[in-house]
Amino acid sequence: GSDGYKGQALGKGIRKIKDATNDIKKEINESAKNQGIDTDIAKDINKEINEVKENFDDMTGPIKRNM
């Protein structure tokens, strides 16, 4: 029924967010290398992004299980 569709739509949305965060991390790393910026800064930014992703995963976990 419609619950399956909602779950599918939610799954697609979560996938897009994860893909976007990976793209952001890749862009940060490439830009840092190209600009000669200390990659430790990029690592710190990536760490923050990963923490946001983990929090998002924690938040969506119960939603996925309830579908």
Side-chain angles (χ1 to χ4, degrees):
S2 66
D3 285 345
Y5 176 75
K6 288 177 189 174
Q8 215 174 16
L10 180 63
K12 285 181 182 180
I14 292 169
R15 179 81 247 153
K16 285 183 179 183
I17 290 171
K18 287 183 178 185
D19 289 345
T21 56
N22 288 333
D23 289 345
I24 291 167
K25 288 195 301 187
K26 182 180 171 192
E27 189 69 32
I28 289 168
N29 284 327
E30 287 177 4
S31 295
K33 287 178 187 173
N34 291 341
Q35 298 295 321
I37 297 172
D38 184 3
T39 53
D40 286 341
I41 294 169
K43 287 178 188 169
D44 288 343
I45 294 170
N46 282 332
K47 182 179 162 204
E48 292 290 327
I49 291 171
N50 284 331
E51 287 177 14
V52 170
K53 270 177 65 174
E54 287 171 15
N55 289 336
F56 186 78
D57 288 343
D58 289 346
M59 190 174 66
T60 58
I63 296 169
K64 289 180 193 172
R65 284 191 288 278
N66 289 335
M67 296 266 161

